Amino acid sequence: MTVDTTTTRDRLLDAARISFARKGFHGTTTRDIASAAGLSPAGVYVHHRSKEAMLFEISRAGHERITDRVEAAAGADGDARTRLRAIVHELVLTHAIDHETARVVNYELEALTPEHREVIERLRGRIQHSLRRTVQDGVDAGVFSIDQVGMTANAISGMCVDVARWYEADARWTPERIADHFADIALRMVSSS
């Protein structure tokens, strides 16, 4: 016999995450979330202050998870090529494997309050900083041959994040295959040969 240790609060967050990914933040009602979690609409407010508070919690947790992974990859031993490959691999793998959450945390930002948006933007800034620093390290070492570090880092980041928009779990490409392929593309973007 298995015991379900999921809390009501967690069930609500999971229901919100799935509904936000499929219907968007504005297309989702608290009734949708409550129904999916097996509660009455009033039950949502016992556990969460608002629908936006749930979005923030989902977004913060998702961004913290990927920020930790990207910063670990950027700070790992190895040259800039190795670290860039690791960063791209982490970004793509996370955005493919957890594509529903990634859709929410990347495409529903406008629904956050200014205070919550600021928290998320700081986390996104840390991700971008790690990526830009790694690309700059490669330029400084003569390993990468590009003129526009920031623009190139934005292009790499954008292609990685966009995986969440089109990836489907039953697709012919596995998350690992996509991550490897995108890492190769990123290295070609910064290389002179």
Side-chain angles (χ1 to χ4, degrees):
M1 175 180 184
T2 37
V3 177
D4 183 8
T5 59
T6 305
T7 67
T8 301
R9 182 177 174 75
D10 291 338
R11 280 198 340 264
L12 283 164
L13 283 175
D14 196 48
R17 178 188 59 78
I18 291 167
S19 191
F20 294 159
R22 294 181 181 160
K23 298 168 75 174
F25 177 80
H26 295 294
T28 297
T29 65
T30 53
R31 185 174 297 282
D32 295 331
I33 296 166
S35 176
L39 298 172
S40 70
V44 171
Y45 299 107
V46 171
H47 300 280
H48 298 280
R49 191 177 65 239
S50 66
K51 186 172 80 163
E52 187 275 341
M54 287 188 281
L55 175 63
F56 173 64
E57 198 164 329
I58 293 163
S59 189
R60 183 183 44 74
H63 277 92
E64 285 174 348
R65 199 166 34 254
I66 193 64
T67 299
D68 290 345
R69 290 179 177 167
V70 167
E71 288 178 342
D77 291 336
D79 65 5
R81 290 180 59 81
T82 302
R83 289 182 287 128
L84 180 59
R85 172 174 276 288
I87 290 169
V88 171
H89 196 272
E90 285 296 334
L91 281 167
V92 172
L93 204 58
T94 301
H95 282 81
I97 290 172
D98 200 3
H99 56 277
E100 282 188 330
T101 301
R103 286 177 189 152
V104 173
V105 303
N106 287 301
Y107 300 116
E108 297 295 340
L109 293 172
E110 295 301 321
L112 294 171
T113 64
E115 296 80 16
H116 286 163
R117 177 74 184 258
E118 186 178 322
V119 171
I120 300 306
E121 289 301 334
R122 280 196 302 272
L123 289 166
R124 292 169 74 90
R126 286 172 51 192
I127 294 167
Q128 201 61 21
H129 174 75
S130 294
L131 182 54
R132 285 183 184 177
R133 187 185 73 227
T134 301
V135 172
Q136 185 65 58
D137 288 350
V139 170
D140 294 345
V143 177
F144 299 158
S145 178
I146 55 168
D147 293 330
Q148 299 293 323
V149 170
M151 194 181 309
T152 303
N154 286 348
I156 292 169
S157 176
M159 78 173 185
C160 295
V161 168
D162 199 49
V163 169
R165 185 186 53 78
W166 58 262
Y167 179 77
E168 294 294 332
D170 60 354
R172 65 182 186 185
W173 300 318
T174 65
E176 189 69 39
R177 182 175 175 202
I178 298 167
D180 287 341
H181 184 69
F182 275 46
D184 290 341
I185 290 170
L187 288 173
R188 285 196 298 272
M189 289 171 72
V190 296
S191 297
S192 58
S193 56

